[in-house]
Amino acid sequence: MAGGAREVLTLQLGHFAGFVGAHWWNQQDAALCRPTDAKEPLGELCPDVLYRTGRTLHGQETYTPRLILMDLKGSLSSLKQEGGLYRDKQLDAAIAWQGKLTTHKEEPYPKNPYLQDLLSAEGVLSSDGIWRVKSIPNGRGPPPCTTAATLKPLIPAEGSIRVWSDFLRVHLHPRSICMIQKYNHDGEAGRLEAFGQGESILKEPKYLEELEDRLHFYVEECDYLQGFQILCDLHDGFSGVGAKAAELLQDEYSGRGIITWGLLPGPYCLGEPQKNIYRLLNTAFGLVNLSAHSSLVCPLSLGGSLGLRQEPPVNFPYLRYDAALPFHCSAILATALDTVTVPYRLRSSPVSMVHLANMLNFSGKKVVMAGATIPFPLVPSQTLPDTLMQLGGATPWTPLSACGDPSGTRCFAQSVVLRGLDRACHTSQLTPGTPLPSPLHACATGEEVLAQYLQQQQPRVRSSSHLLLTPCKVVPPYPHLFSSSLSQQGLVLDGPSTGAAVESIPVLGALCSSSSLNQTLGDLAKELARLDLRRWASFMDAGVERDDLEETLQELRSLAQCYQAGDSLMD
């Protein structure tokens, strides 16, 4: 790859993972911008880590995600499984059979109005019916930035979003989408509900060979593959698919990093006991098995609990979101993901996935928790030391791993990223001779400010921190979740609202190995132990033995013990 990028292959497994992934790739797409002037510096993040160059049958160069996604029949809506870049209608008509043909054509799904408008606005469908994309200068990297007037942003109606493909604006390679035809996305019958069902999918030669073929296709074209990131639903049968996929990666690509993001949609629904119990079981089995085969596992959820206990969803002071809408929840989680994954996507001095995992997962601590401040609350008239000082001694981020309130807990190791602040506000702007409000105001660089703040917060913790100028893009189809008290750049206004839509935001994100996981995983084990399995025989019938449950329970308890507050690298 260009510039010796350390490539990452992404796996998206499940429908909520599709929602998070669609927002994630839309945000990557919005950030794709190459300077047209050779004197302009390249961006801080290297898109070649996540993207690959290719060529269509017509010789056009493409730039598509290095991605394998798996979902169920009926989940693609109008998106074609082979994508839209490489398909040739003329080839479709070339049929060798000369006899009589009977064609049975399924009625296509109507395209979401947002995507229709988007395609119309881009104007890239040629007269011969073949999709043509903008060429890539020099055959490498993303399209250049242009100074031409941009089109008015197109905002999808939230009522029109039924599946993740309704708002995905990125073109995928034909090898990306792998459909599981034996289970349905819609309806009450034929659902992928249980961990054992998911495991059995990748025991079938058909699906296993299909996944292996796609892995080999992407891996063999990489020069410096650093590893795999798995976005996996934890609440349904895809937890089993993810566990088997991680096991396959560990067996075939030992030495590569495997970072798994276990995704859970909004809070539990009262009145759906079977779905809630299955969610508990799938989450427990998923966490145990994924942690056994991954370098690092991080649950991601806006809910307050991994178990059955009813907890309100987390709150962000400057966001107004509906926790029942996957379109909203997945956007927030994608924004956090886009920030905490920064270390292994940097253009200069990146931290490899393996190194990041090793820093966080010592002493068997394979599970970490995530947190984020979305947006980071900077007022234009203030500096970074001012804002951090105002946060005081409280944990500066909102927890995003359903681990409850982090106050009073102990952190063992953390990786922190702050992005989207202009360099001018990184350090104190006080007139020389003015008494300094805090030691942070004496720091010479923004990096020093952030590092010293983290040291003050957690004096005996192994910390890694990164400070970036690059903000997080939140242009449509990202939902409008932001308070009217934010500027177009996501800063907190100290005056009247300008009325401009928020287009980018500063974000503080963190991955932490925390003692809060002791209680979170311990509570999960207690709830699992209290279940009367005779009432949930259908879960066991899907391929899980009673011995498997006992083993999972023991592994969960052992995992929880790793996070007892007395255990630390710095002790």
Side-chain angles (χ1 to χ4, degrees):
M1 294 297 292
R6 299 291 306 276
E7 303 101 337
V8 170
L9 174 54
T10 302
L11 280 71
Q12 277 172 218
L13 310 174
H15 201 66
F16 188 60
F19 267 85
V20 175
H23 280 300
W24 156 275
W25 293 113
N26 287 344
Q27 288 182 308
Q28 307 312 309
D29 183 65
L32 282 182
C33 189
R34 208 169 92 169
T36 52
D37 186 342
K39 295 180 182 178
E40 288 185 58
L42 292 169
E44 295 166 297
L45 298 175
C46 178
D48 289 345
V49 171
L50 299 173
Y51 280 75
R52 62 178 295 281
T53 54
R55 192 178 294 274
T56 69
L57 296 172
H58 299 277
Q60 284 184 296
E61 292 188 357
T62 60
Y63 199 56
T64 53
R66 190 179 297 104
L67 167 69
I68 299 171
L69 71 84
M70 300 183 79
D71 209 338
L72 307 180
K73 183 171 63 176
S75 63
L76 293 185
S77 189
S78 59
L79 178 65
K80 298 184 186 303
Q81 185 171 342
E82 67 274 14
L85 286 179
Y86 292 74
R87 189 167 181 190
D88 187 336
K89 281 188 173 181
Q90 294 163 0
L91 291 180
D92 288 347
I95 301 171
W97 173 253
Q98 299 298 312
K100 187 178 178 181
L101 291 174
T102 302
T103 302
H104 299 275
K105 191 171 182 180
E106 205 174 70
E107 194 66 29
Y109 280 96
K111 191 177 287 292
N112 183 284
Y114 163 72
L115 294 179
Q116 288 179 337
D117 289 346
L118 179 68
L119 296 181
S120 173
E122 287 183 340
V124 288
L125 188 65
S126 62
S127 57
D128 58 2
I130 298 167
W131 181 262
R132 302 194 187 279
V133 292
K134 295 175 184 177
S135 60
I136 300 171
N138 305 322
R140 289 289 184 186
C145 301
T146 62
T147 54
T150 55
L151 294 161
K152 183 180 179 181
L154 300 164
I155 302 174
E158 291 180 3
S160 71
I161 303 297
R162 192 178 63 86
V163 293
W164 55 263
S165 53
D166 283 338
F167 63 96
L168 176 69
R169 59 168 296 153
V170 176
H171 292 292
L172 303 181
H173 189 272
R175 298 262 190 157
S176 280
I177 300 175
C178 177
M179 297 306 296
I180 300 171
Q181 299 291 346
K182 66 183 293 185
Y183 293 107
N184 297 318
H185 167 64
D186 290 314
E188 292 302 315
R191 304 298 295 270
L192 182 59
E193 297 176 306
F195 179 89
Q197 291 174 300
E199 269 198 322
S200 68
I201 286 172
L202 289 185
K203 291 178 182 176
E204 292 185 31
K206 172 187 174 183
Y207 292 111
L208 178 60
E209 288 170 11
E210 193 169 354
L211 177 58
E212 287 178 329
D213 287 347
R214 290 162 195 266
L215 284 169
H216 294 157
F217 170 78
Y218 285 114
V219 169
E220 286 169 8
E221 66 181 13
C222 292
D223 295 325
Y224 307 102
L225 179 72
Q226 62 170 309
F228 307 86
Q229 57 179 11
I230 304 175
L231 279 64
C232 173
D233 287 0
L234 270 186
H235 63 289
D236 58 20
F238 273 103
S239 63
V241 177
K244 292 303 289 184
E247 183 181 358
L248 172 67
L249 295 177
Q250 186 186 46
D251 289 344
E252 293 209 12
Y253 304 100
S254 62
R256 310 293 186 185
I258 304 171
I259 297 184
T260 300
W261 310 97
L263 303 168
L264 291 153
Y268 284 91
C269 298
L270 292 172
E272 295 184 335
Q274 176 167 322
K275 187 176 286 188
N276 292 343
I277 295 296
Y278 272 39
R279 174 170 165 151
L280 172 70
L281 287 161
N282 289 324
T283 299
F285 273 88
L287 283 175
V288 166
N289 286 272
L290 286 166
S291 63
H293 303 297
S294 303
S295 312
L296 207 63
V297 177
C298 180
L300 287 176
S301 173
L302 299 184
S305 166
L306 288 180
L308 296 174
R309 189 175 71 255
Q310 286 294 319
E311 298 281 354
V314 297
N315 176 58
F316 294 88
Y318 298 99
L319 298 186
R320 309 288 180 266
Y321 75 97
D322 184 344
L325 288 181
F327 184 54
H328 284 188
C329 295
S330 57
I332 296 169
L333 295 180
T335 300
L337 197 59
D338 189 35
T339 300
V340 298
T341 58
V342 156
Y344 57 82
R345 298 191 289 123
L346 289 169
R347 188 180 299 277
S348 176
S349 304
V351 177
S352 73
M353 298 178 87
V354 169
H355 184 81
L356 177 65
N358 287 343
M359 190 197 81
L360 294 168
N361 70 8
F362 67 94
S363 302
K365 297 179 177 67
K366 287 283 198 79
V367 181
V368 295
M369 59 172 288
T373 304
I374 304 174
F376 183 73
L378 184 76
V379 177
S381 60
Q382 292 185 334
T383 63
L384 176 57
D386 297 329
T387 305
L388 292 176
M389 192 177 71
Q390 287 173 359
L391 292 174
T395 303
W397 44 75
T398 299
L400 294 178
S401 294
C403 291
D405 183 0
S407 59
T409 60
R410 182 172 180 184
C411 179
F412 305 116
Q414 61 186 3
S415 168
V416 179
V417 176
L418 177 57
R419 61 186 300 187
L421 302 187
D422 287 340
R423 199 181 300 278
C425 70
H426 283 185
T427 55
S428 174
Q429 304 298 315
L430 294 175
T431 307
T434 306
L436 299 178
S438 78
L440 299 179
H441 289 76
C443 295
T445 66
E447 287 80 5
E448 283 183 36
V449 173
L450 182 58
Q452 184 160 328
Y453 170 74
L454 295 173
Q455 176 68 15
Q456 289 176 1
Q457 291 289 100
Q458 301 276 359
R460 303 170 68 243
V461 171
R462 188 180 190 182
S463 283
S464 166
S465 59
H466 293 87
L467 182 64
L468 276 71
L469 301 175
T470 309
C472 195
K473 298 286 188 181
V474 289
V475 294
Y478 198 95
H480 182 69
L481 307 177
F482 300 99
S483 162
S484 59
S485 60
L486 297 179
S487 72
Q488 198 168 6
Q489 289 74 42
L491 302 182
V492 180
L493 295 170
D494 47 10
S497 171
T498 61
V502 178
E503 294 184 354
S504 64
I505 55 173
V507 178
L508 176 66
L511 294 176
C512 305
S513 178
S514 167
S515 63
S516 63
L517 286 159
N518 174 255
Q519 181 170 343
T520 299
L521 298 173
D523 287 349
L524 197 60
K526 288 175 185 174
E527 292 193 5
L528 199 60
R530 284 198 296 263
L531 287 183
D532 181 358
L533 292 179
R534 291 171 298 182
R535 294 186 58 198
W536 311 107
S538 55
F539 184 90
M540 310 301 283
D541 292 344
V544 173
E545 302 289 339
R546 182 173 288 275
D547 288 346
D548 296 330
L549 184 65
E550 290 300 324
E551 186 179 341
T552 296
L553 194 54
Q554 187 55 46
E555 290 291 335
L556 207 50
R557 288 168 176 156
S558 299
L559 204 51
Q561 288 174 1
C562 292
Y563 298 91
Q564 289 179 339
D567 183 15
S568 170
L569 260 184
M570 312 296 282
D571 280 346

